[in-house]
Amino acid sequence: MASASDVIFDALREAIAKGDIAEGQTLRQDHIARMFNVSRIPVREALTRLEEQGLVSTQRYRGAVVTTLSADEIREIFEFRAVLEPEVLRYSVERISAEGLETAKRFADAFSTETDSSHWGELNRRFHYSLYEPSGRPYYLQTISAALDRVDRYLRAQLVLTSGMARARREHQGILDACIRRDAEAAARLTREHILGASVSLIDFLERTRAERALAERSPAANGAGRPRD
C-alpha cells in the first residue's frame, strides 16, 4: 500500500501539473495535513520530494512555493529533451513489439479524439512513453519523466489555449508511422522536431500571456487609481 507521503506527493504533483495549483502559490503544511487527515510529517516528506523534482522551492517566511519557470529555463529543458528522447526512441524502434505499437496507436487515437482538455497532457505523455519504454533504458526514462514533470503544467495550457493540439496530432502520427516502418532515424528526427517545435510555441505563448498579465497588473484599474477615497 502507498504511504501517506506517497499519496500526498502524487496528489500535489498532479495538481501542479494540471495547473490546479498555480505557479507562485504557497503550499501550507497545516492546510494540506488537514485535507489528508494526517500529521505534518508525511506532508513535509512529500514537499521535500517535490522540491527535489524542482516543482516547489522553499522560501523564507513563505515556506514551500510552487516554482515559476522562466522562458530560458523552459527552453533549456526542451533542448535537453530534444537530445535525450530521440536517442531513447532509436533504442526502442528495434525492440518494440507489434503489441507495443498497437498500444502506442491506442494512445495516439485517444489523444486525437479526447474532448476533455484535462486529459490531453496525460494522454500525450502516455503516447510518448509507450514508444520509449521498450528501449530498456530505465535511467533515461526516469530522467525524461522528471523533465516532463517540470513543464507539464505549461504544456497543458499551451495545448488548450493555442493550436497546439492539431499540430501534436499530426506529429504523433508521423512519429508512430516511422516506428511502424522500423525507421529509427526518421522516428528520432521527427521526435526532435516535435519537441523543439512545441518549445517555440510554448515559449511564445508564455511570453505573450505573461506580458499581458504584467501590463494588466500595472494598469490604473488594477492598482485602484482613480477610485474615490472612503
Side-chain angles (χ1 to χ4, degrees):
M1 293 180 63
S3 68
S5 173
D6 290 335
V7 171
I8 296 167
F9 169 77
D10 288 339
L12 292 177
R13 182 176 64 175
E14 179 69 10
I16 292 170
K18 285 185 174 180
D20 295 335
I21 303 177
E23 57 184 33
Q25 185 170 333
T26 300
L27 301 175
R28 303 194 180 282
Q29 292 186 27
D30 54 349
H31 175 66
I32 296 169
R34 287 195 301 272
M35 284 180 62
F36 288 91
N37 195 28
V38 297
S39 72
R40 294 175 65 170
I41 294 174
V43 176
R44 283 198 297 269
E45 292 172 352
L47 292 176
T48 297
R49 291 172 63 189
L50 290 169
E51 186 164 16
E52 289 170 353
Q53 292 197 353
L55 295 176
V56 305
S57 62
T58 301
Q59 297 183 9
R60 192 175 184 182
Y61 305 123
R62 293 189 65 191
V65 177
V66 178
T67 55
T68 300
L69 293 180
S70 68
D72 286 342
E73 288 171 321
I74 292 171
R75 185 178 294 107
E76 182 179 2
I77 292 170
F78 273 83
E79 287 171 351
F80 170 77
R81 290 182 55 213
V83 171
L84 186 56
E85 292 182 40
E87 290 305 309
V88 172
L89 191 55
R90 280 195 179 94
Y91 290 122
S92 284
V93 167
E94 60 189 43
R95 295 173 172 83
I96 192 168
S97 64
E99 291 78 11
L101 289 169
E102 183 59 32
T103 297
K105 183 179 185 303
R106 285 200 301 272
F107 284 129
D109 291 343
F111 179 82
S112 295
T113 57
E114 179 59 63
T115 57
D116 185 345
S117 61
S118 68
H119 298 311
W120 289 351
E122 182 62 23
L123 289 171
N124 176 69
R125 189 166 181 149
R126 286 179 177 270
F127 166 73
H128 285 287
Y129 255 69
S130 66
L131 293 176
Y132 298 159
E133 283 178 336
S135 66
R137 299 297 190 277
Y139 181 76
Y140 285 14
L141 292 174
Q142 182 182 15
T143 306
I144 291 169
S145 180
L148 287 171
D149 284 341
R150 298 287 306 276
V151 296
D152 253 0
R153 59 194 135 147
Y154 301 108
L155 275 173
R156 293 182 190 212
Q158 182 249 342
L159 287 173
V160 172
L161 300 173
T162 72
S163 59
M165 270 299 289
R167 177 175 177 173
R169 291 187 187 106
R170 294 193 303 271
E171 293 177 352
H172 283 178
Q173 190 60 53
I175 293 167
L176 180 59
D177 289 344
C179 291
I180 292 171
R181 297 194 309 269
R182 307 288 176 171
D183 188 340
E185 289 305 312
R189 175 178 53 80
L190 291 170
T191 297
R192 175 178 171 80
E193 292 172 356
H194 175 62
I195 294 169
L196 293 178
S199 174
V200 171
S201 176
L202 173 57
I203 290 170
D204 177 68
F205 165 73
L206 279 178
E207 288 180 338
R208 282 189 289 105
T209 54
R210 285 174 175 176
E212 290 168 0
R213 187 184 309 132
L215 183 62
E217 290 171 353
R218 291 197 302 268
S219 69
N223 293 321
R227 290 185 300 183
R229 294 179 180 271
D230 293 334

